[in-house]
Amino acid sequence: ASDGAAQTFTTNGFFQGPMMTATPSGGCVTRLRFPVWPEARVGAGFQEISARQSDFAYVAAAAQVALDADGACMRCAIGIGAATPAPARLESARALVGSKLSDAEIRAAIAPHAMPPSVWARVFTSARSMASGRSGSFMANIPRNTRPCSTVS
């Protein structure tokens, strides 16, 4: 705020366009908070395509899934960037709840969003592996009780 008071944004209101946010001129993001999912089997995947390493992505995709003991999806969140006017959380992820996250089910859920199928395959392969305990990802070393901040202020 112009009076120096802290502001809180949700991700839906924070990202406004390519490299544009709701942060006021002269403002600074001081805290981010992410909800910690309570399910025992949670995994995440991220993939981006860029011309060179450390370059801006042409397209980026991320997914987080929670699986039950039988490998069925209990919860799913999907985000995309660079392929849309602003980074976006895909509501179509809800269609994957109850599924086994097969390639066909994933393709159907993300069909309205122009993303290369290979990107989604890598994102969900990584997320499924991590949630099933078969991943050597850097996130495997983060303790389950870690509670990072989750609000943009």
Side-chain angles (χ1 to χ4, degrees), residues 101-112:
L101 297 175
S102 71
D103 291 344
E105 291 164 325
I106 293 166
R107 273 194 301 275
I110 57 93

Side-chain angles (χ1 to χ4, degrees), residues 9-65:
F9 303 91
T10 64
T11 54
N12 289 341
F14 185 69
F15 299 108
Q16 298 183 337
M19 301 176 62
M20 296 178 358
T21 67
T23 305
S25 179
C28 179
V29 174
T30 59
R31 184 169 66 163
L32 299 173
R33 288 189 289 180
F34 301 94
V36 176
W37 289 7
E39 293 85 357
R41 298 178 68 198
V42 176
F46 175 80
Q47 181 69 39
E48 68 178 1
I49 297 174
S50 59
R52 293 173 301 278
Q53 186 176 356
S54 299
D55 210 351
F56 292 109
Y58 294 132
V59 64
Q64 182 165 306
V65 298

